[in-house]
Amino acid sequence: ATSDIVLGVTFLQEVTQQLPSWHKKTKELADSEKLLKRQRHAFRGDWVEASLVGGQLVQVEQLLAKRNRTMQEQVPLLQSRIVAEDKANAQRVVDLVEDWEHNKPLLGNITPDQAIETLTKFEFNMKKAQLDQENLIKAKDALGLDVGPSGTEISGCLAEASDLTEVWEAVSKPFNALVDLKDTPWATAVMRKVRKTLDDLLIGLRSLPNRIRQYDAYTAL
């Protein structure tokens, strides 16, 4: 699958970039071990010798070199697959942004629970699309392809979704309180308590920040 190719290419790139840091840490471990041995330090039974760590790192390098050689032999094929996947992902982003613009829960004609459920689904799809974009950029860079400018559409939608989630979560409690009040049988309702509940809800709603009060989800209450 193309997604596996993207992950494989980016993984090799990330491991290759980590090698200098791992070499440095392995050397620091060996130097520290020598110093401790000169001071006759008693190592614990589960201590892993620096020589073993170094040997493992050599094996990682050998395996990485083999995988990189294999990748280099298949670069033209990998490039074509990544280019195709990049175009497909760009179209998915366009479709997702269009779906968001048409179906984001802005209006107060739905319940907070419905709105939050919709937002959760959108955020999941947006974060996945954003991760796919980031991995494709890494894969293109590793394969010598033009990375090009990274789109900001998904980031903008995610920020808006976060704002809307805050709004719907803020109005959820007063909405549910109104529903409970509405469902109270008139025969058992105490007007004084009803009036106090409404007054408390009104005070709570007025205390919400302006960024929340500007939305229809708030004014619909």
Side-chain angles (χ1 to χ4, degrees):
T2 306
S3 59
D4 293 333
I5 293 175
V6 173
L7 290 176
V9 170
T10 54
F11 177 73
L12 287 177
Q13 184 188 45
E14 289 169 359
V15 173
T16 301
Q17 292 172 345
Q18 288 289 334
L19 279 177
S21 173
W22 292 345
H23 275 292
K24 181 181 178 182
K25 290 179 180 178
T26 302
K27 185 179 183 305
E28 290 173 352
L29 175 63
D31 292 343
S32 300
E33 186 181 79
K34 288 178 183 178
L35 178 61
L36 289 171
K37 284 182 176 180
R38 282 200 299 267
Q39 296 177 352
R40 301 181 183 278
H41 175 75
F43 293 95
R44 286 173 32 174
D46 59 354
W47 174 260
V48 179
E49 294 281 340
S51 58
L52 292 177
V53 176
Q56 290 292 322
L57 183 57
V58 170
Q59 290 183 26
V60 169
E61 284 187 294
Q62 292 172 346
L63 182 59
L64 184 62
K66 182 179 178 181
R67 292 287 187 269
N68 275 322
R69 284 195 300 270
T70 302
M71 187 182 76
Q72 290 303 319
E73 293 169 358
Q74 301 178 16
V75 162
L77 174 62
L78 294 173
Q79 286 177 331
S80 64
R81 294 285 293 273
I82 294 300
V83 168
E85 177 62 19
D86 191 39
K87 290 180 180 179
N89 187 69
Q91 185 58 52
R92 286 196 294 270
V93 169
V94 170
D95 294 341
L96 181 57
V97 171
E98 185 177 342
D99 186 20
W100 168 251
E101 291 301 328
H102 285 91
N103 297 304
K104 56 187 171 183
L106 275 175
L107 303 180
N109 58 350
I110 57 176
T111 68
D113 286 346
Q114 291 172 327
I116 291 171
E117 181 181 359
T118 299
L119 286 165
T120 299
K121 291 177 180 177
F122 267 119
E123 283 188 293
F124 175 82
N125 292 330
M126 288 174 187
K127 288 179 179 178
K128 183 180 183 304
Q130 190 175 54
L131 180 62
D132 289 343
Q133 273 187 335
E134 292 170 356
N135 284 335
L136 279 165
I137 289 173
K138 293 177 183 177
K140 287 191 290 184
D141 181 54
L143 292 171
L145 292 169
D146 180 28
V147 173
S150 57
T152 59
E153 299 90 346
I154 293 295
S155 297
C157 291
L158 271 171
E160 189 177 10
S162 178
D163 291 342
L164 280 172
T165 298
E166 182 185 10
V167 171
W168 283 107
E169 287 179 346
V171 301
S172 178
K173 185 176 180 180
F175 177 88
N176 290 331
L178 284 173
V179 170
D180 291 341
L181 193 61
K182 181 181 177 182
D183 291 340
T184 302
W186 279 109
T188 60
V190 179
M191 289 300 103
R192 178 176 54 80
K193 291 184 178 180
V194 171
R195 189 177 299 108
K196 184 178 186 309
T197 299
L198 290 173
D199 288 342
D200 290 343
L201 284 173
L202 189 59
I203 292 171
L205 287 169
R206 286 174 176 170
S207 68
L208 292 174
N210 287 332
R211 67 177 183 278
I212 291 177
R213 291 160 60 186
Q214 66 180 327
Y215 285 90
D216 189 67
Y218 171 88
T219 57
L221 285 175

